[in-house]
Amino acid sequence: MTSPKTYQTLSVEINNKVAHIILNRPDELNSMNVDFWHEFPSVIHDINNQSAARAIVISSTGKHFSAGMDLAVFSANNNTDNIELGRKHEQLRRLVLKLQDCFSVLESVRMPVLMAIQGGCIGGAVDMVTAADCRYCTSDAFFSIEETKLGMTADVGTLQRLPKLISIGLVKELAYTGRRMPAAEAKQAGLVNQVFDDHASMLTAVIAIAEEIASRSPLAVAGCKEMINYARDHSVADSLNYMSVWQSGMFQPQNDMMEIFKAKAQNRAPEFEELTQIDPLKIF
């Protein structure tokens, strides 16, 4: 990215057009504290707006991927005793929507997001990984919708996205009971693409997949992501219609397709133009 930043809860490395975001609070089980909720969407937006990478890998440090929401987040928003009840509840609704947006950004960014998960993926961490494009985990990984154990309903995306990934009956069982779903079951259910023996081999493989994605036309890959996510949420007829509109504008065979043909003829890797940068403050 144009100006390296220092973060309290994560670090960012960009190599070979792959951005690697690493959660780095292992002593706190990478729980999602107040800083995380500010930093995480900010770095994702920066990568997207600056076209700094063509794929994003999110991994973690320590024994567990993430223990989910840090309880300090709840206490940070408890100073509402003097607020009228209706306004207090309206404020809480806006807080929930803001937290949801922190993970919805993984769907809205133009490049694919791959999750590399070790150990526990708990509570809010399940909200996060279900918003990604692909998930990979180690054999010791487990997934747990912990919220019912705390007397609440998961509210940041798990209950909306997980039924699109695995059977709804299994989602209900996991949500109602809060039990741990181990890696082998997650693979069988379709939640994760692959299971690896250890953290190192998983990272090597996931980075390699991300680099392969990054070697493709970034416009073509962005189109795939847009179309697949749209098809998930719309009818086949609507999705086909949207595909025709997208293709009529975005498909320019004289550019990326011709570059692929030239590269093959010249026995070299194709070179694609990056997606344009986004300045959210500029209208024109």
Side-chain angles (χ1 to χ4, degrees):
M1 291 179 285
T2 54
S3 55
K5 297 180 181 179
T6 300
Y7 301 96
Q8 299 298 315
T9 66
L10 50 85
S11 61
V12 185
E13 304 170 354
I14 300 180
N15 296 292
N16 300 323
K17 304 184 186 300
V18 173
H20 186 188
I21 300 172
I22 307 166
L23 309 184
N24 63 3
R25 299 177 67 239
D27 292 341
E28 292 80 20
L29 305 181
N30 297 298
S31 59
M32 300 168 173
N33 62 5
V34 173
D35 287 333
F36 169 87
W37 294 100
H38 291 288
E39 294 178 349
F40 184 79
S42 175
V43 69
I44 299 292
H45 279 302
D46 285 347
I47 293 168
N48 184 56
N49 292 344
Q50 298 174 24
S51 296
R54 297 181 182 178
I56 299 172
V57 172
I58 299 176
S59 71
S60 189
T61 52
K63 183 177 181 181
H64 296 293
F65 179 76
S66 174
M69 181 83 77
D70 192 304
L71 295 180
V73 175
F74 294 103
S75 60
N77 291 277
N78 277 343
N79 189 23
T80 58
D81 293 342
N82 297 322
I83 300 177
E84 184 270 331
L85 189 60
R87 287 160 177 81
K88 176 179 179 179
H89 292 170
E90 188 275 337
Q91 177 180 321
L92 176 59
R93 176 178 179 270
R94 284 188 286 110
L95 172 62
V96 173
L97 289 172
K98 185 176 181 179
L99 295 176
Q100 291 173 351
D101 286 344
C102 290
F103 293 152
S104 293
V105 67
L106 300 180
E107 292 182 326
S108 63
V109 293
R110 296 171 290 175
M111 56 284 298
V113 179
L114 284 60
M115 291 284 176
I117 303 156
Q118 88 285 0
C121 181
I122 299 168
V126 179
D127 292 310
M128 177 169 66
V129 303
T130 53
D133 294 277
C134 304
R135 287 150 296 277
Y136 307 84
C137 72
T138 55
S139 58
D140 68 345
F142 63 87
F143 301 81
S144 178
I145 306 172
E146 291 276 303
E147 283 81 357
T148 51
K149 295 181 180 179
L150 301 175
M152 63 177 291
T153 301
D155 57 1
V156 191
T158 290
L159 302 184
Q160 292 69 39
R161 293 187 173 98
L162 195 56
K164 306 288 187 177
L165 301 172
I166 64 177
S167 75
I168 193 168
L170 182 54
V171 173
K172 289 181 176 181
E173 177 189 315
L174 294 170
Y176 298 162
T177 65
R179 75 167 176 87
R180 295 180 174 184
M181 178 168 66
E185 184 182 1
K187 173 66 167 62
Q188 183 180 26
L191 178 60
V192 300
N193 292 18
Q194 296 183 58
V195 178
F196 299 89
D197 291 336
D198 53 55
H199 189 261
S201 61
M202 172 180 64
L203 271 185
T204 298
V206 175
I207 293 292
I209 294 169
E211 289 179 345
E212 185 173 5
I213 292 170
S215 72
R216 311 303 181 200
S217 160
L219 182 60
V221 171
C224 289
K225 178 168 182 172
E226 180 78 13
M227 291 306 113
I228 293 170
N229 284 348
Y230 188 91
R232 177 196 63 190
D233 301 329
H234 296 78
S235 69
V236 172
D238 288 343
S239 301
L240 288 170
N241 184 61
Y242 186 32
M243 182 72 247
S244 71
V245 175
W246 175 276
Q247 202 74 329
S248 66
M250 305 302 170
F251 180 49
Q252 302 294 328
Q254 70 274 18
N255 294 323
D256 289 5
M257 182 175 286
M258 288 305 299
E259 168 59 16
I260 291 173
F261 294 156
K262 290 178 182 178
K264 287 183 177 180
Q266 297 169 6
N267 195 28
R268 61 173 175 82
E271 297 178 2
F272 302 110
E273 184 177 351
E274 301 299 341
L275 297 177
T276 58
Q277 295 188 16
I278 300 171
D279 186 341
L281 299 180
K282 288 180 66 176
I283 300 176
F284 302 104

